[in-house]
Amino acid sequence: MAEPKALRVGMVGYAFMGAAHSHAWRTAPRFFDLPLAPELTAVAGRDAERVAAAAAKLGWGSTETDWRRLIERDDIDLIDICTPGDTHADIAIAALEAGKHVLCEKPLANSVAEAERMTAAADAAAARGVASMCGFSYRRTPALSLAKRLVDSGALGTIRHVRAQYLQDWLTDQNAPLTWRLDKSKSGSGSLGDIGAHIIDAAQWITGQTISGVSALLETFVTERPVGGDFVGLGGRGGTEAVKGPVTVDDAAIFSARFDAGAGQAGAIGVFEATRFALGRKNAMRLELNGSTASLAFDFEDMNSLWYYDAAEEPNAGFRKIQVTEPDHPYTGHWWPVGHGLGYEHAFTHQVVDLVEAIASGSRPTPSFADALQVQRVLAAVEASAADESRWTKV
């Protein structure tokens, strides 16, 4: 059997998301039979010493200190964007126009206008056989993929309620340092875009409905933070010096929403919450759907499980726990024996698998830039509503 053709990857950025993506590119061909063979060709970062250390640690073959050099190289087929949101549009558009496939982290951009330009570039590139995808990795969590399968099968009947939360606590210490995620010019928004985008995408994807209107509140609990300090994980501990800088994003976002089911059907109603101030909640990405015949519930802190309630089982009905590790569950048959759970990093591996298979087949991968643009429009509507006394705002 002939060896699969190489898919030569150039990645921009090497921190949290860069590490997750690097692991995925290395791991995917070792557990899945892929039609193309990913090669970690080059990684780009502004600091030559740090990017060299990252390349050695994460397995990249070479380095660049300017992302433009990656795009110019003829030994790179795909650009993987793992940088703050303020750089996404420039990198993605340049890469697509140069004929490079693109994987871009979420949220797609820092504004609707940027996302629209990126989507137009993606559509034009697709006509030339160039693929693009936005990295909403939670779609590839097996339990959420199973939830999507159940909804698509009609098991829940008509979806009436969507209840979505993303709860973290890494900013509860008011002395946690001022990182780029707290700077609107770099991140676009705070909890809303950083983690709220994930539950917006998951809710729309699983229900097959789009959010058509919102009423929202945004809150910033800590308005200044230390400029320096010890950085650990996403946050850390601020320095003892008195120098502080302004927090220019939201710490928490709450909004109600109405969905559009299309075809003259009544859409669901939803409640969304995203915060990095929920003490004790480390990565509680939660979704519950209530339909006319069944309900399901998911919490990423118990990510290998999906809870399912079937009203047809009354009067002895109750939520039952589905352990999503069976061979016929999404993705899981490629990994470990039944009952041996997966982790956070596996969703990124599944993302690589789906992207590589789409590129090889000439199909358009999902979530597309157009899907991500819809999420961006919801984010913008939430911000507009919150700025206008929570007035109902159409998406």
Side-chain angles (χ1 to χ4, degrees):
M1 176 182 256
E3 290 292 320
K5 181 183 176 182
L7 179 68
R8 301 162 299 180
V9 181
M11 186 174 74
V12 191
Y14 52 82
F16 172 29
M17 279 298 100
H21 284 225
S22 299
H23 179 276
W25 288 113
R26 293 194 313 268
T27 305
R30 289 167 172 79
F31 286 84
F32 294 77
D33 295 325
L34 299 183
L36 299 171
E39 291 183 1
L40 284 69
T41 302
V43 58
R46 290 172 296 181
D47 186 302
E49 185 176 341
R50 289 182 178 179
V51 76
K57 183 176 183 179
L58 300 175
W60 292 88
S62 62
T63 64
E64 298 286 355
T65 54
D66 187 334
W67 58 263
R68 296 169 184 83
R69 303 291 85 79
L70 284 184
I71 294 174
E72 292 169 355
R73 288 174 55 160
D74 59 10
D75 63 342
I76 288 177
D77 306 307
L78 181 147
I79 299 296
D80 186 354
I81 305 170
C82 298
T83 55
D86 62 319
T87 63
H88 288 185
D90 287 347
I91 300 172
I93 292 171
L96 290 166
E97 289 178 347
K100 313 288 188 185
H101 305 298
V102 171
L103 171 60
C104 182
E105 258 303 321
K106 49 50 62 187
L108 186 63
N110 279 5
S111 70
V112 170
E114 287 179 342
E116 287 175 340
R117 289 196 296 116
M118 294 170 73
T119 301
D123 290 342
R128 305 190 306 271
V130 178
S132 56
M133 186 169 84
C134 189
F136 285 105
S137 57
Y138 286 107
R139 288 193 181 198
R140 271 76 188 193
T141 302
L144 280 180
S145 290
L146 179 60
K148 169 69 170 171
R149 183 186 293 178
L150 288 168
V151 171
D152 286 350
S153 75
L156 271 68
T158 300
I159 305 298
R160 293 168 172 165
H161 285 284
V162 176
R163 213 162 286 109
Q165 295 178 311
Y166 203 145
L167 313 177
Q168 297 178 337
D169 71 354
W170 60 273
L171 277 177
T172 51
D173 180 356
Q174 66 181 9
N175 287 315
L178 190 69
T179 70
W180 69 265
R181 293 176 187 272
L182 305 178
D183 181 347
K184 187 175 179 63
S185 68
K186 293 183 174 64
S187 62
S189 63
S191 291
L192 175 62
D194 185 24
I195 54 180
H198 275 302
I199 53 176
I200 293 167
D201 178 71
Q204 293 188 135
W205 172 62
I206 292 175
T207 62
Q209 301 180 21
T210 56
I211 294 173
S212 59
V214 299
S215 174
L217 287 172
L218 297 179
E219 185 67 40
T220 302
F221 299 115
V222 179
T223 59
E224 289 186 326
R225 290 186 178 275
V227 172
D230 297 322
F231 294 89
V232 179
L234 295 174
R237 182 69 182 176
T240 56
E241 68 277 1
V243 178
K244 291 188 176 183
V247 174
T248 53
V249 299
D250 58 282
D251 286 329
I254 299 175
F255 64 95
S256 56
R258 181 171 293 282
F259 288 75
D260 181 359
Q265 301 178 17
I269 58 174
V271 179
F272 291 75
E273 179 184 12
T275 180
R276 300 183 289 209
F277 274 73
L279 269 172
R281 301 301 180 191
K282 303 305 178 182
N283 202 47
M285 187 273 203
R286 299 169 168 176
L287 185 69
E288 179 170 326
L289 304 183
N290 305 131
S292 57
T293 57
S295 293
L296 57 81
F298 170 80
D299 185 339
F300 191 79
E301 291 187 342
D302 184 20
M303 65 168 289
N304 290 291
S305 302
L306 183 67
W307 292 87
Y308 182 71
Y309 177 96
D310 187 348
E313 297 174 359
E314 290 285 9
N316 300 312
F319 272 97
R320 56 185 172 87
K321 182 178 183 179
I322 303 171
Q323 197 73 18
V324 189
T325 60
E326 296 291 333
D328 59 346
H329 287 151
Y331 305 107
T332 54
H334 292 270
W335 294 100
W336 318 120
V338 172
H340 293 68
L342 302 186
Y344 173 74
E345 72 279 10
H346 290 84
F348 293 92
T349 301
H350 303 154
Q351 178 174 270
V352 162
V353 170
D354 290 346
L355 176 56
V356 171
E357 289 181 344
I359 291 171
S361 68
S363 58
R364 296 192 71 170
T366 57
S368 66
F369 279 19
D371 296 327
L373 170 58
Q374 164 62 19
V375 173
Q376 202 76 44
R377 286 176 171 150
V378 176
L379 299 178
V382 168
E383 288 193 301
S385 173
D388 191 20
E389 299 182 330
S390 305
R391 191 179 305 278
W392 185 259
T393 303
K394 291 184 178 181
V395 176

